[in-house]
Amino acid sequence: MPINKPFEFFIQLHITEQCNLRCRHCYQEGCRPDEMSFSEITAVIDEISDMLNEWKKTYRIDFTSSFNVTGGEPFLRKDFFNILEKLKNKGFDTFILSNGTLIDRNKAETLVKLAVKGVQVSVEGPENIHNAIRGQGSFSSSIKGIQNLVEAGMPVTLNTTLSDVNAPHFMDIIDLASSLGVQRLGFSRLVPAGRGGDMLNTLLAREVLKDLYNTIFSFEAGGLKIVTGDPVASQLNEPAVQDGETPFPTGGCAAGISGLTILPDGTVTPCRRLPVPLGNVKHDSLREIWATSSVLQGLRDKSRYTGKCGKCSKWSACRGCRAIAFAFSKANGSASYLAEDPQCFLGYEDN
């Protein structure tokens, strides 16, 4: 989902670690932590609603507040629709991230009734590539789920996690998205964390990534909108800013800037793919976490960044992907979420 709107604040809410697939690149470690109860989740939703309303009054600004609800596979949680109804009643824009395999016609129509704004479904390539990453038979099940969503009138975004395995087939995914009648096609980069750590050697080289992004952005996709939350991609054609003009983050990587992630057991992290705990909603105030966390303060402070990201003139609007920086540096022995983004191909300027 897009992350660069003014005053956007979003929560990525993981309601379960259960999943009916076992994808090669998944960020999960394979454990099954205790899940928050329905009452605990509704209490969190109430707290976030109160927090944003207080911010609106205090700072006299409006927020585009939203929830991205996911898992694991969110449709495996029995009270999933009850959670969506709670979000609807609180007035949040709600989006769902799913593998699509469990979405039948009735579920798709229910999502429409619950005023869900859109569903993102993961598609990794043509059938043989998708199945190689997500498991045999998963492609056809996902496509059927997408078709059910489109027929019900639900806005759909396909999303692809790019690596050496599927990057050569991205143009095929554009054709697939167009044929399915979805509105948007998104892409992100592989984060070598969890099971995905075994795919570290499939990270795209900088120049390969640059060429791919240039090809994607030069492609005329007709009515299909190609989108990404990748901060590096978003800066590809943006001019560098003069140092000192924007000493604070204004866009780019959302970690610590425009939202938080809440895991099924209540653990709060800057991003699902950045496994650095900030606290737990069962006993910690989200407002205090947002205002006082040393991790979040570090993510907002350019002087604490190392390598090329700490010197880049595009820092305020980009900062690289903190999750990839952390995972890559961890694999090389340092485990720093403030390290440089190893795939960044942008021009750098020293301070």
Side-chain angles (χ1 to χ4, degrees):
M1 303 301 166
I3 62 173
N4 291 311
K5 294 180 181 178
F7 308 115
E8 180 172 0
F9 190 91
F10 75 94
I11 296 290
Q12 181 145 314
L13 178 63
H14 293 254
I15 59 175
T16 183
E17 291 285 83
Q18 298 179 71
C19 191
N20 58 326
L21 301 181
R22 189 173 175 82
C23 305
R24 289 177 58 195
H25 63 266
C26 185
Y27 46 72
Q28 290 184 186
E29 300 285 352
C31 60
R32 293 285 179 86
D34 292 335
E35 295 178 358
M36 287 189 289
S37 66
F38 177 70
S39 61
E40 287 173 327
I41 289 177
T42 57
V44 170
I45 294 171
D46 286 337
E47 179 185 1
I48 294 167
S49 177
D50 292 342
M51 177 178 73
L52 293 176
N53 285 333
E54 186 171 316
W55 285 356
K56 290 177 183 179
K57 293 178 182 178
T58 301
Y59 303 111
R60 297 180 182 179
I61 59 176
D62 200 8
F63 290 90
T64 303
S65 52
S66 62
F67 271 74
N68 296 339
V69 185
T70 185
E73 174 49 50
F75 283 91
L76 287 173
R77 180 147 174 160
K78 293 180 180 179
D79 56 5
F80 180 38
F81 290 140
N82 300 109
I83 294 170
L84 296 181
E85 185 172 19
K86 172 69 176 182
L87 289 167
K88 174 178 177 288
N89 292 337
K90 279 293 181 178
F92 286 107
D93 288 344
T94 303
F95 301 88
I96 296 169
L97 283 61
S98 169
N99 62 40
T101 60
L102 303 177
I103 304 176
D104 59 24
R105 183 174 298 178
N106 288 335
K107 289 187 178 72
E109 292 174 350
T110 301
L111 296 179
V112 173
K113 293 176 182 177
L114 290 169
V116 170
K117 296 295 184 180
V119 179
Q120 176 179 292
V121 179
S122 300
V123 175
E124 308 302 344
E127 186 167 10
N128 62 321
I129 300 298
H130 181 96
N131 285 344
I133 295 172
R134 291 185 168 263
Q136 288 302 312
S138 60
F139 181 83
S140 59
S141 297
S142 293
I143 296 302
K144 184 58 179 176
I146 293 166
Q147 291 171 334
N148 288 331
L149 290 166
V150 171
E151 290 173 6
M154 173 60 61
V156 177
T157 299
L158 303 192
N159 191 73
T160 302
T161 301
L162 295 171
S163 70
D164 276 338
V165 177
N166 61 357
H169 303 278
F170 192 78
M171 295 301 119
D172 295 327
I173 305 174
I174 292 177
D175 292 338
L176 175 64
S178 297
S179 69
L180 289 170
V182 304
Q183 288 76 21
R184 308 197 308 173
L185 171 61
F187 60 88
S188 56
R189 289 181 275 153
L190 168 70
V191 178
R195 288 199 299 274
D198 293 336
M199 295 183 68
L200 180 65
N201 64 347
T202 70
L203 285 179
L204 293 166
R206 288 179 179 176
E207 289 307 312
V208 173
L209 189 68
K210 181 179 181 180
D211 290 344
L212 175 61
Y213 282 1
N214 278 323
T215 299
I216 291 172
F217 289 135
S218 64
F219 188 81
E220 291 293 335
L224 178 69
K225 185 176 182 180
I226 298 179
V227 297
T228 184
D230 183 349
V232 173
S234 71
Q235 293 303 303
L236 185 61
N237 298 315
E238 293 295 323
V241 297
Q242 295 299 315
D243 183 57
E245 287 185 357
T246 50
F248 50 85
T250 58
C253 180
I257 309 302
S258 57
L260 291 169
T261 291
I262 301 175
L263 303 185
D265 67 351
T267 299
V268 183
T269 65
C271 165
R272 179 59 182 91
R273 292 166 175 78
L274 181 55
V276 181
L278 308 176
N280 191 294
V281 293
K282 292 181 180 179
H283 47 72
D284 296 314
S285 163
L286 278 173
R287 280 177 250 206
E288 289 187 14
I289 290 173
W290 186 256
T292 67
S293 166
S294 60
V295 173
L296 297 183
Q297 289 172 359
L299 289 167
R300 300 162 184 160
D301 184 355
K302 182 178 181 179
S303 69
R304 295 179 59 180
Y305 282 61
T306 60
K308 294 179 179 178
C309 286
K311 300 176 181 179
C312 184
S313 61
K314 294 176 180 283
W315 178 88
S316 62
C318 177
R319 295 178 308 289
C321 175
R322 295 298 92 216
I324 293 176
F326 180 79
F328 187 83
S329 63
K330 182 178 180 180
N332 287 281
S334 61
S336 171
Y337 52 85
L338 299 173
E340 68 178 64
D341 184 330
Q343 292 178 288
C344 182
F345 50 76
L346 300 173
Y348 302 105
E349 297 178 8
D350 292 335
N351 288 333

